[in-house]
Amino acid sequence: MEAVVPEIESVLHETRSFAPSAAFAAASALDSQRLAALRRRAAQDHEGFWAQQAATQLDWQRPFDLTLDDSAAPHYRWFVGGRLNASYNCLDRHLPERAAQDALIFENDDGDVQRWTYAQLHAEVCQLANALRALGIDKGDRVVLYLPMGPQAVMAMQACARIGAIHSVVFGGFSAESLKDRIEDAGARLVITADAAPRGGKRVALKTTVDLALTEGCSSVERVLVYQRLGGCVMDPMRDVWWHDVVPQQPTQCEPEWVESSHPLFLLYTSGSTGRPKGVQHSTGGYLLGATVSMQWVFDLRPGDVFWCTADIGWITGHSYVSYGPLSNGITQLIFEGIPTYPDGERFWRMIAAHKVSIFYTAPTAIRSLMRLGDELPLRHDLSSLRLLGSVGEPINPEAWLWYQRVIGGGRCPIVDTWWQTETGAIMIAPIPGAMATKPGSCTLPLPGICAEIVDEDGQPVTQAGQGGLLVVTKPWPSMLTTVWNNDERFRDTYFGRFGPRVYVAGDGAQRDDDGYFWILGRIDDVLNVSGHRLGTMEVESALAAHEAVAEAAVVGRPHEIKGEAILAFVVVRGSREAALKADLPRELRDWVASRLGAIARPDEIRLVEALPKTRSGKIMRRLLRAVGRGETAAQDTSTLENPAILDQLRGS
Ligand code: WTA
């Protein structure tokens, strides 16, 4: 790991501060006094604080006996002895009061709208859960979901949770190969998919990709359950089952499987600094508690809210703030199948006005791309229903923050910039909007009960404002990952290998300002963040290396105005560089990576070079490559470079 280098210069000079309006603060459930009391309680008695939250916020079939078992740290177990069901907490417990309230408002790619009340959603989830049981799926079995963004995806997650099966959602943009790797690692017995899905007016052939993945391996898969969204796919009569043939006739009641608090609720594969994505494993009780309380605190939920999180269910944000958090809190949410720019750049604003969205949660990359289209488009729409705006997934630059606040929020909506990760399960550092001032570019302070700190390379706390360090969490928290699927060693090494089993190392650099506010500086490992999506440089490198024309490849991120980070690959070819350039190999390689990993991993630029910069001991000089990617021509330490002459090629000149 290299030294922490602050890369977002503009962020560091930002000093403006925005307090919530008196009216907003007065109507907030969590005002500054109550927040102070929560923080005090959490600081005095970490476990007692979480025990009280768990007992009051979730419904348990059997109460827990022990709040935290840390005897096998870092394999922590929360709420030991307690039994619950996540789907019961998301659906059944709301029925007495909210059966007729909308749970989901779904707008599809074409703009058609469908609604599900809590009673309807409950009934359909029960039917699907019964169908899964009829297909032989039991508690603990893994089910891979490869579905379009929509109600069926939420239902599938809930149905798995209902019967204690472990879901693993794979983002619909991932390739057959990526899907295959995840299915095999999880040992899934069932895949739930759709024939095809519309996305931005285009057809995404999900089932074809599943077929491809399964012909290449995946011997654990017995059945494929196919939801018909568009029509027109080939079915294997021995293996594939239509959703409409097996789900609608099932009973609309389904007894939930009561599981131990630490029973895995789901796996979600995410990129790290090695070539293989890891299956981040989350528990039922701890995870659900984190999703539930963070949602209440950070989004300041109030009766009548319409919440819209634009994340796809293929990412952790779609798990915690589409499937579990909103439903566990019994609120109404909008879900959307499409993309922000289809049929035009007004899509989001039109939808906010049409559905009277009050809380809107999206990613900086979307904000930046819509900001570029100008103020006029959002100003054409009545956005007065908005009360609160959120940001997630990557650092938000102050310019985008201020535009979001002024143009979308009309200057009246607080912005909650939320820092967290697939591994943390729920928001960790974010403002409590009715109780705190916000600053553009800062995710502010850790939530109550979250002990985030900044330490130096030796693990010593960084006390000085403005000094960068490693972001760590020094006490376990309920929604933390419990392990990496089938790989405890990797779990311990990756997150707890540096400062011992008590200190979770997040992989981000951060610093604090004079008010103690946190400013995230970005990843300090070989993880890229492209449009808010996590990708490992090694994953892209191994995809490149698998091409016959490639001898060696190194991949770095470089700043990108819209995407946050773009992918730059340096490639050494077998044979002549000139011939490869003539044959337009860079373009072929970009497509190659997209076909192997998925379109989000398509490199933005490929530079063919005669050699990679290496030290005399043979290590690729990644820091030099990153500097080259950033266009820095300032003196680099190239004294250890084996072949200084290649610098010009690296710079693309
Ligand atoms: C980055 C997404 C700055 C960070 C929820 C983290 C952020 C990685 C923010 C996790 C934020 C997420 N400000 N950076 N508000 N939120 N990140 O697992 O680098 O897809 O480590 O989880 O995104 O990405 P993941």
Side-chain angles (χ1 to χ4, degrees):
M1 203 181 295
E2 295 174 9
V4 180
V5 191
E7 285 175 5
I8 313 145
E9 274 302 315
S10 63
V11 157
L12 307 179
H13 303 304
E14 183 56 52
T15 53
R16 278 166 286 194
S17 166
F18 295 81
S21 70
F24 188 99
S28 287
L30 205 51
D31 60 14
S32 46
Q33 270 182 352
R34 283 193 209 107
L35 175 61
L38 268 189
R39 288 203 197 284
R40 250 194 326 272
R41 169 97 172 95
Q44 282 160 359
D45 179 7
H46 186 70
E47 287 176 37
F49 169 81
W50 282 116
Q52 188 187 11
Q53 293 298 328
T56 54
Q57 300 271 2
L58 299 180
D59 283 17
W60 297 84
Q61 187 246 2
R62 183 189 184 283
F64 48 92
D65 317 299
L66 176 67
T67 304
L68 175 65
D69 174 5
D70 61 357
S71 58
H75 295 277
Y76 296 98
R77 286 169 68 217
W78 283 90
F79 314 125
V80 182
R83 279 148 66 97
L84 78 169
N85 181 280
S87 144
Y88 178 90
N89 274 275
C90 289
L91 299 168
D92 307 49
R93 67 164 165 165
H94 305 311
L95 294 182
E97 281 176 20
R98 303 198 180 92
Q101 180 198 310
D102 282 335
L104 301 180
I105 306 172
F106 174 54
E107 182 165 321
N108 75 13
D109 202 47
D110 295 331
D112 301 330
V113 177
Q114 266 178 294
R115 290 162 187 275
W116 278 260
T117 63
Y118 270 91
Q120 289 166 331
L121 187 63
H122 174 264
E124 292 196 31
V125 166
C126 285
Q127 288 183 314
L128 182 56
N130 286 325
L132 297 184
R133 278 190 177 143
L135 289 169
I137 300 302
D138 284 324
K139 178 181 171 190
D141 286 342
R142 275 80 60 208
V143 177
V144 162
L145 314 187
Y146 189 67
L147 280 161
M149 180 59 197
Q152 288 73 31
V154 176
M155 288 172 198
M157 292 162 92
Q158 292 288 334
C160 287
R162 194 158 191 95
I163 63 170
I166 304 167
H167 61 70
S168 177
V169 183
V170 178
F171 173 59
F174 277 126
S175 66
E177 176 129 347
S178 302
L179 176 61
K180 184 194 83 166
D181 288 348
R182 287 158 173 79
I183 292 173
E184 286 188 336
D185 191 79
R189 294 183 61 199
L190 176 74
V191 177
I192 309 183
T193 189
D195 51 352
R199 199 168 156 77
K202 294 191 191 120
R203 183 186 169 97
V204 184
L206 294 162
K207 174 65 163 53
T208 313
T209 308
V210 171
D211 289 341
L212 213 62
L214 297 192
T215 43
E216 287 174 8
C218 307
S219 55
S220 60
V221 174
E222 295 156 22
R223 294 282 184 174
V224 179
L225 180 63
V226 188
Y227 178 76
Q228 190 168 42
R229 172 68 185 88
L230 286 180
C233 77
V234 180
M235 297 287 278
D236 172 345
M238 302 300 287
R239 185 195 68 194
D240 304 344
V241 187
W242 283 114
W243 178 304
H244 55 253
D245 283 341
V246 293
V247 178
Q249 66 269 41
Q250 294 289 338
T252 55
Q253 294 292 332
C254 171
E255 181 60 22
E257 179 80 39
W258 304 107
V259 298
E260 287 289 315
S261 174
S262 59
H263 180 72
L265 180 60
F266 64 85
L267 312 178
L268 184 57
Y269 284 81
T270 191
S271 296
S273 42
T274 68
R276 288 178 67 81
K278 45 187 179 247
V280 168
Q281 179 176 324
H282 277 291
S283 69
T284 303
Y287 168 81
L288 191 64
L289 181 65
T292 307
V293 298
S294 61
M295 177 102 203
Q296 269 168 36
W297 295 341
V298 177
F299 295 111
D300 187 42
L301 300 180
R302 300 178 193 177
D305 268 328
V306 177
F307 177 78
W308 182 18
C309 167
T310 66
D312 190 279
I313 40 97
W315 312 113
I316 190 68
T317 310
H319 284 60
S320 304
Y321 302 104
V322 178
S323 187
Y324 291 106
L327 295 176
S328 173
N329 281 292
I331 64 163
T332 298
Q333 69 170 322
L334 175 64
I335 55 178
F336 175 44
E337 187 174 50
I339 58 171
T341 47
Y342 178 81
D344 55 44
E346 289 171 65
R347 184 69 188 259
F348 272 9
W349 321 131
R350 200 180 290 124
M351 286 179 63
I352 289 171
H355 301 291
K356 301 215 172 357
V357 171
S358 56
I359 308 171
F360 181 61
Y361 190 33
T362 195
T365 187
I367 300 167
R368 286 191 295 263
S369 68
L370 295 169
M371 176 171 85
R372 228 182 30 172
L373 305 177
D375 296 4
E376 201 198 311
L377 302 189
L379 292 178
R380 280 185 198 151
H381 301 274
D382 176 7
L383 303 181
S384 61
S385 58
L386 288 172
R387 189 165 62 70
L388 184 61
L389 300 172
S391 170
V392 58
E394 42 174 330
I396 180 165
N397 48 313
E399 191 196 1
W401 195 103
L402 289 162
W403 182 81
Y404 198 30
Q405 201 256 3
R406 178 175 59 83
V407 180
I408 307 309
R412 70 179 184 283
C413 305
I415 310 272
V416 288
D417 176 4
T418 61
W419 177 86
W420 59 295
Q421 309 175 296
T422 305
E423 294 87 342
T424 68
I427 296 171
M428 300 288 277
I429 310 181
I432 305 296
M436 289 165 58
T438 55
K439 300 180 190 183
S442 167
C443 51
T444 74
L445 297 173
L447 298 185
I450 301 299
C451 302
E453 280 181 35
I454 299 173
V455 299
D456 65 19
E457 307 274 319
D458 302 319
Q460 295 306 310
V462 169
T463 46
Q464 200 185 327
Q467 192 185 327
L470 307 167
L471 184 57
V472 298
V473 188
T474 54
K475 282 194 180 144
W477 66 102
S479 66
M480 67 195 295
L481 77 166
T482 51
T483 190
V484 169
W485 178 254
N486 260 341
N487 205 338
D488 288 347
E489 196 182 327
R490 193 163 169 202
F491 163 74
R492 288 190 297 264
D493 287 354
T494 310
Y495 306 106
F496 298 92
R498 197 154 167 161
F499 306 121
R502 307 268 155 194
V503 181
Y504 169 85
V505 180
D508 278 306
Q511 65 180 40
R512 259 183 280 192
D513 65 16
D514 292 329
D515 295 325
Y517 276 29
F518 284 69
W519 300 74
I520 306 295
L521 303 169
R523 299 289 308 194
I524 46 162
D525 50 13
D526 294 320
V527 172
L528 305 172
N529 191 329
V530 181
S531 300
H533 301 323
R534 254 170 89 165
L535 277 171
T537 49
M538 289 274 289
E539 281 172 75
V540 183
E541 284 167 10
S542 3
L544 282 167
H547 189 284
E548 57 182 13
V550 173
E552 206 179 9
V555 167
V556 297
R558 68 153 183 243
H560 185 280
E561 204 188 331
I562 305 286
K563 301 199 231 181
E565 218 168 11
I567 305 174
L568 170 61
F570 301 93
V571 170
V572 181
V573 294
R574 294 179 201 278
S576 143
R577 176 171 169 263
E578 275 65 39
L581 277 171
K582 223 186 223 150
D584 207 0
L585 184 69
R587 172 204 274 276
E588 186 183 324
L589 290 179
R590 292 176 63 227
D591 291 344
W592 166 263
V593 173
S595 73
R596 289 189 71 97
L597 294 178
I600 53 167
R602 184 192 303 271
D604 295 78
E605 187 186 343
I606 302 232
R607 281 187 200 160
L608 301 189
V609 294
E610 255 141 44
L612 292 174
K614 290 194 183 155
T615 61
R616 298 215 166 91
S617 61
K619 281 182 73 172
I620 295 178
M621 298 173 74
R622 290 183 176 276
R623 201 197 300 210
L624 172 69
L625 290 177
R626 277 199 285 269
V628 168
R630 287 198 297 272
E632 286 168 14
T633 45
Q636 282 288 325
D637 178 18
T638 52
S639 58
T640 52
L641 188 56
E642 180 71 3
N643 175 8
I646 61 165
L647 262 177
D648 284 343
Q649 277 180 16
L650 295 174
R651 291 191 181 122
S653 50

